[in-house]
Amino acid sequence: MAASSKQEVDSQEHQHQAAPVATRKETPSILALGKLFPQNKTLDKTVRFLSQVRGTDKTLMVVQYISKIFIWYFLKRGRESTAQRIKNLAGPISDFRILLRYYGLLPLIQWMQYVDNTPSPSPLLLTIDRLQNICNLIYYPLEHIYWLGAHEVIPISMEKTNKIAIWSCRFWAGYVLLQFVHLAEEYRLYKNRLQSIQGQIRAADKKAKETGEPVDKTVFKTEMAALKAEKKGIWINTIINTGYLPLTVHWSLEKSSFPDVGVGMFGGVAALAQFYVAWKSS
């Protein structure tokens, strides 16, 4: 009787375990709009990029400068209304980018602390970094005062506002000129390190031929890869600085004949290069 009861219990358990699990069939819904957009790493990176001040600024910078080229293009073809609409977009973008730099002195102070508390690769680089910090320390407040005066937030005459704008750009131009010297020194140090590593590789190869033992070049490959990235960074920064140079000189002069389309072209180059750097590092 006990055996019979046990068999019934085992049979019930077997039936319970063998019973198929009922699954609810998902019904398609026109409200499930998320199904239209598959998972995308580029979308994730774009959201991350634009959520940062740097990413937003570089995106708007591209629009701001490229818009000048479009304005010139439409004016040349007599489409003043289209050109004016683009101007109506570019103006607020320029204002917004200045506002995004309202906190510029804070990271500058951090950078000044880093420069003066970290060993520099060369005395020349240290001197240039300090001079550039002085330029920025004057440039940022002047730019902020100019913006506040231009929008009549603080009572400053238009004549004084324009002079402040010119002087702020002169200190920006000073930074840009110093940056060319900085880049030249960076390239000199890069060449010295490259020659040193190449000499070490040749010495290791010579020793390997003499001893017949293989040489582990992992360290050399890592250092060469780092130098390659450093060289790329130097050239990109040179492009950015070259784009900025005519703009800063143009805005530093009380009277300049530099055309607005030229501002768009050189500024566009600097903007696209900076966008590339910011996108890669995000």
Side-chain angles (χ1 to χ4, degrees), residues 50 53 64 68 137 143 196 227 234 260 266:
L50 293 176
V53 173
Q64 176 186 349
K68 293 182 179 294
L137 198 59
E143 183 188 50
S196 174
L227 283 173
I234 292 172
D260 215 33
F266 281 94

Side-chain angles (χ1 to χ4, degrees), residues 4 10 17 35 43 50 55 81 99-100 130 135 140 149 174 243 251:
S4 175
D10 290 345
Q17 293 174 358
K35 298 291 185 181
L43 176 62
L50 293 176
S81 61
L99 283 175
L100 282 179
R130 286 172 171 171
C135 287
Y140 277 114
W251 289 322

Side-chain angles (χ1 to χ4, degrees), residues 221-261:
K221 289 180 179 178
T222 302
E223 291 179 349
M224 290 297 289
L227 283 173
K228 183 179 179 180
E230 182 180 345
K231 182 182 179 182
K232 181 180 178 181
I234 292 172
W235 283 114
I236 292 176
N237 285 325
T238 301
I239 292 171
I240 294 171
N241 217 48
T242 303
Y244 275 141
L245 180 62
L247 307 188
T248 57
V249 173
H250 164 59
W251 289 322
S252 296
L253 301 175
E254 293 187 5
K255 294 182 180 179
S256 174
S257 58
F258 194 70
D260 215 33
V261 65

